[in-house]
């Protein structure tokens, strides 16, 4: 657990919008004004530009609930066969923009909703630095068309589409 916390701290440090990054200068982010209630429930990470704290993770999920002032957050994954989780809260600070505070981390990270499929079953989340991003889906698997759409949205938002990695959910 301490390793996960340390990696989370390091990853969130990379989410500072003032951190120089070639991805940060690539293009403006296109934010989606999504009501936080649309995020409630469990989402499966089906693809990502992994953050350093996700090293070795599979079967990754994010579960959002109602919390005072925003959302509760429970991120889980399997690492070396063990379930690992970290909890926190997310507060909406602007259209599509959330500040996420994880337990034991002394600062909040910036997470931006940059896409949602027409049926609402896929949400794309990025960071202002483009150092991490996630394709979240209501099911464990997505179609090739859904993945292509996600790649296009990430590319439009300044990400290197070729770096998008499939997350093992089997």
């Amino acid at each position: 657990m301490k390793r996960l916390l340390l990696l989370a701290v390091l990853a969130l440090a990379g989410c500072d919008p003032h951190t120089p990054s070639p991805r940060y200068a690539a293009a403006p982010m296109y934010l989606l004004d999504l009501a936080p209630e649309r995020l409630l429930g469990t989402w499966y990470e089906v693809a990502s530009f992994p953050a350093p704290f996700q090293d070795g993770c599979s079967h990754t999920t994010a579960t959002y609930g109602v919390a005072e002032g925003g959302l509760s957050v429970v991120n889980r994954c399997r690492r070396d066969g063990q379930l690992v989780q970290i909890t926190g809260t997310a507060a909406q600070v602007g259209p599509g923009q959330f500040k996420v505070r994880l337990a034991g981390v002394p600062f909040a990270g910036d997470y931006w909703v940059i896409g949602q499929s027409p049926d609402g079953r896929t949400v794309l989340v990025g960071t202002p630095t483009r150092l991490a991003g996630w394709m979240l889906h209501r099911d464990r698997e997505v179609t090739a068309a859904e993945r292509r759409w996600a790649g296009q949205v990430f590319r439009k938002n300044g990400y290197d589409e070729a770096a998008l990695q499939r997350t093992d959910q089997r």
Side-chain angles (χ1 to χ4, degrees), residues 21-86:
S21 166
R23 289 185 187 175
Y24 186 66
M29 294 283 267
Y30 300 94
L31 301 177
L32 180 66
D33 193 4
L34 182 68
E37 302 80 42
R38 300 284 310 265
L39 296 173
L40 296 178
T42 297
W43 295 84
Y44 296 92
E45 176 192 297
V46 293
S48 71
F49 300 92
F53 62 84
Q54 293 182 277
D55 186 37
C57 276
S58 65
H59 302 87
T60 304
T61 62
T63 302
Y64 303 106
V66 177
E68 187 175 330
L71 300 172
S72 63
V73 178
V74 180
N75 292 331
R76 293 182 177 99
C77 77
R78 292 223 171 263
R79 180 180 289 129
D80 300 324
Q82 300 294 317
L83 179 65
V84 180
Q85 80 174 26
I86 190 164

Side-chain angles (χ1 to χ4, degrees), residues 58-59 140-141 166-170:
S58 65
H59 302 87
R140 293 178 190 272
E141 299 291 328
R166 184 180 172 278
T167 302
D168 182 12
Q169 286 289 351
R170 288 175 270 137

Side-chain angles (χ1 to χ4, degrees), residues 47-51 54 125-127 130-135 154 159 164:
S48 71
F49 300 92
Q54 293 182 277
V125 178
T127 63
R130 278 75 162 184
L131 295 176
W134 302 269
M135 180 182 184
F154 278 119
Y159 282 84
L164 184 61

Side-chain angles (χ1 to χ4, degrees), residues 97-163:
Q97 299 177 347
F98 292 85
K99 285 277 189 190
V100 177
R101 290 196 173 279
L102 297 175
V105 179
F107 52 87
D110 294 311
Y111 293 86
W112 294 357
V113 178
I114 59 172
Q116 182 183 32
S117 63
D119 65 4
R121 297 188 57 75
T122 307
V123 173
L124 306 180
V125 178
T127 63
T129 60
R130 278 75 162 184
L131 295 176
W134 302 269
M135 180 182 184
L136 305 176
H137 197 273
R138 291 297 188 177
D139 300 314
R140 293 178 190 272
E141 299 291 328
V142 294
T143 66
E146 289 169 321
R147 187 173 160 93
R148 278 191 304 276
W149 167 79
Q152 292 167 355
V153 172
F154 278 119
R155 183 179 65 242
K156 174 182 168 186
N157 282 279
Y159 282 84
D160 176 5
E161 182 180 356

